[in-house]
Amino acid sequence: MEDSKEKKGLDLQWKILIGIVGGIILGIIFNNLIGPGVTSGPIYILKIFFKYGGDIFIRLLRMMIVPLVFASIFMAVVNLGDIRDLGKIGGKTVAYYMATTALAVLLGIILVNIIHPGQGIDREALAALNIVTEVPDKVSNQGVGEKSSAVIIVDTLVNMIPKNPVEAMATGDVLQIIFFTIFFAIMAAMVGGESETLTKVINAVDLIMQRAVMAVMVIAPYCIFFLVTAIFMDLGVGALKALAKYGITVLLGLLIHAGVTLTILVWVIGRYSPIRLFKAVLPAIMTAWSTASSAATLPLTMDCLSRRAGVDRKIGNFVLPLGATVNMDGTALYESIAVIFIAELLGIDLTIGMQAVIFITATLAAIGAAAIPGAGLVTMGIVLTAAGLPLDGIGLILAIDRILDQFRTAVNVWGDTTAAVVVGRLENAISDGSQMAKVEDEALADVKA
Ligand code: ASP
């Protein structure tokens, strides 16, 4: 406790930012010294060391997802008071998620039709760079060809019900865990007094997991430094240059969606300062950028939103786990741009009808993408097949996918937090932030002590 009297160190977001910038600089230095893809020697050993540093962090975060999601959703349902509120929150959340994902895809399609990133690219130079890589097995094996859009929707809904909740937890299937937990918590509320002891235990688990997230946040900046260094050591600069026009189109789309569309929604419907929200959730956004995984970032997102942004946990506990799994605006936008880019590269003209198909399937593919690195690339198979394009096209964009994944994941997480603010406002569940920041500083000092 004496710690709180000590001179306050740098804020968490600054530390993470220093970790990211330091990692980029060191990674680029190593990249220039030895070139990407080296597989032996002292620098290689160093790279493995950095990779492990990053892996430890991602594992720690993922370790917390199942108990955190279970306990926090259970407590949120039990504390709701009126179970009908659940329907209201759920309805608003799903409507927001569908609308923003559709807007993201639409923006992607408009941008790619204005910029035409595939037209300026020298296909021979691309081939000479040898960056066309094999299509991952996961893409070609999913047999997406036979599935229509309706089947994909029904599949996703039916699959939310776990055959076995233990299996859902063991495999970390967040959607199934959400379904089971809500069902279980409603039943616990119906049982009433008899389930009180269990509720106390789960409440304790919830508090323990919240504290665990704070503990992991202390090491986040260092691990992120390791992670980013390892990523940039491996970056193929040649590929980056060759695909620059495509990469810039995706980044521009992400920037407009995050900075204009979502920001306006936070401001107008959420009646909340977008800058304040951005500052509050910045540690989560930077973690999303570094890990390229919305799922791994989820514990931090939940923490930032409740303690730093002042949105009641009863909202974030529902909106964020669901959002991490189904709401991927960045992924949706990227998929629409990537697919049309591939068509342009292959010299295939897409009719308006085909672009409409891309609009629908890119939305669904983003919903179906797992919240892990590279998942968007895998579900892109759905869009390509629906548009009648060859799956091999994925090989054309693979080389710069990791770096784009980082940016789209950051936008995915930003989208989830904007949803929580909008739904939180509509449900009257947002409190003053200054109080929150104080609580957070004290809590972090406590963890360090
Ligand atoms: N990596 C993304 C996420 O976790 C999904 C993707 O677009 O690949 O949100």
Side-chain angles (χ1 to χ4, degrees):
M1 262 313 182
E2 269 100 72
D3 264 21
S4 42
K5 283 189 211 128
E6 268 179 25
K7 245 217 257 153
K8 239 180 70 187
L10 276 178
D11 269 355
L12 181 68
Q13 64 258 41
W14 290 115
K15 286 189 190 162
I16 297 182
L17 190 64
I18 292 170
I20 288 179
V21 174
I24 293 176
I25 294 172
L26 193 66
I28 290 178
I29 292 175
F30 282 140
N31 193 308
N32 278 322
L33 283 181
I34 55 160
V38 69
T39 51
S40 61
I43 303 273
Y44 178 67
I45 295 172
L46 204 63
K47 187 167 102 186
I48 299 288
F49 171 79
F50 281 120
K51 249 186 109 308
Y52 276 128
D55 276 358
I56 289 173
F57 178 55
I58 295 176
R59 278 173 174 270
L60 281 170
L61 288 173
R62 297 194 73 137
M63 177 183 84
M64 292 188 285
I65 296 173
V66 174
L68 180 70
V69 169
F70 173 73
S72 59
I73 291 189
F74 182 91
M75 288 316 297
V77 176
V78 167
N79 288 333
L80 264 184
D82 188 344
I83 226 69
R84 274 169 301 186
D85 285 353
L86 193 59
K88 280 199 284 171
I89 297 172
K92 285 169 191 160
T93 307
V94 172
Y96 183 91
Y97 283 161
M98 292 307 297
T100 50
T101 306
L103 284 175
V105 179
L106 195 63
L107 175 65
I109 293 180
I110 292 173
L111 275 182
V112 80
N113 276 295
I114 294 175
I115 300 176
H116 292 296
Q119 285 178 1
I121 291 195
D122 181 351
R123 277 160 62 189
E124 274 167 24
L126 203 65
L129 269 168
N130 225 3
I131 58 168
V132 179
T133 349
E134 299 248 313
V135 182
D137 278 352
K138 276 193 239 158
V139 180
S140 35
N141 287 346
Q142 56 178 344
V144 287
E146 309 91 59
K147 288 192 182 179
S148 69
S149 304
V151 174
I152 297 170
I153 298 175
V154 178
D155 251 13
T156 312
L157 291 176
V158 173
N159 282 338
M160 277 187 77
I161 306 171
K163 280 191 249 167
N164 175 349
V166 179
E167 187 193 352
M169 291 192 191
T171 54
D173 188 323
V174 176
L175 270 190
Q176 293 191 346
I177 298 172
I178 293 174
F179 184 90
F180 172 74
T181 310
I182 292 177
F183 183 75
F184 186 67
I186 292 175
M187 294 306 127
M190 288 172 92
V191 167
E194 295 287 312
S195 65
E196 241 168 44
T197 318
L198 181 67
T199 303
K200 272 191 192 150
V201 172
I202 298 179
N203 187 35
V205 174
D206 189 23
L207 294 174
I208 292 167
M209 293 322 295
Q210 287 178 39
R211 184 45 69 99
V213 176
M214 285 190 244
V216 172
M217 273 164 100
V218 175
I219 60 160
Y222 311 101
C223 294
I224 284 177
F225 168 69
F226 290 142
L227 194 60
V228 175
T229 307
I231 292 168
F232 275 78
M233 275 168 111
D234 246 354
L235 201 69
V237 183
L240 215 53
K241 277 192 198 140
L243 293 168
K245 207 170 165 195
Y246 154 69
I248 289 170
T249 312
V250 174
L251 293 184
L252 184 69
L254 293 175
L255 190 70
I256 297 175
H257 186 71
V260 181
T261 314
L262 295 177
T263 299
I264 290 177
L265 291 173
V266 169
W267 199 24
V268 177
I269 309 183
R271 283 181 281 118
Y272 192 103
S273 154
I275 295 173
R276 182 181 144 200
L277 178 65
F278 184 69
K279 277 191 192 154
V281 300
L282 195 54
I285 291 189
M286 289 194 286
T287 305
W289 186 85
S290 311
T291 60
S293 169
S294 314
T297 311
L298 178 62
L300 290 191
T301 319
M302 291 171 80
D303 188 73
C304 287
L305 200 82
S306 61
R307 283 189 309 107
R308 295 168 55 106
V311 179
D312 193 327
R313 280 186 74 83
K314 87 171 182 209
I315 299 294
N317 286 358
F318 290 119
V319 176
L320 296 176
L322 187 67
T325 341
V326 302
N327 181 48
M328 298 195 184
D329 295 2
T331 303
L333 184 140
Y334 140 88
E335 297 214 4
S336 62
I337 293 180
V339 168
I340 302 179
F341 167 74
I342 289 171
E344 279 186 353
L345 262 190
L346 299 175
I348 301 170
D349 259 346
L350 290 175
T351 58
I352 296 281
M354 279 158 100
Q355 301 213 20
V357 169
I358 292 175
F359 174 79
I360 295 168
T361 46
T363 309
L364 296 176
I367 294 173
I372 53 172
L377 193 75
V378 175
T379 59
M380 196 187 295
I382 297 175
V383 192
L384 284 171
T385 314
L389 297 168
L391 282 180
D392 302 0
I394 288 184
L396 297 166
I397 54 165
L398 210 57
I400 63 163
D401 199 65
R402 168 70 203 207
I403 188 85
L404 293 183
D405 195 1
Q406 293 179 241
F407 286 97
R408 65 182 189 251
T409 308
V411 173
N412 290 347
V413 170
W414 170 242
D416 299 341
T417 60
T418 62
V421 165
V422 168
V423 176
R425 178 63 70 203
L426 297 176
E427 290 295 311
N428 265 331
I430 297 184
S431 59
D432 174 42
S434 51
Q435 193 60 20
M436 295 296 139
K438 212 170 138 251
V439 174
E440 129 140 320
D441 287 342
E442 283 174 9
L444 270 180
D446 233 17
V447 172
K448 283 186 198 159

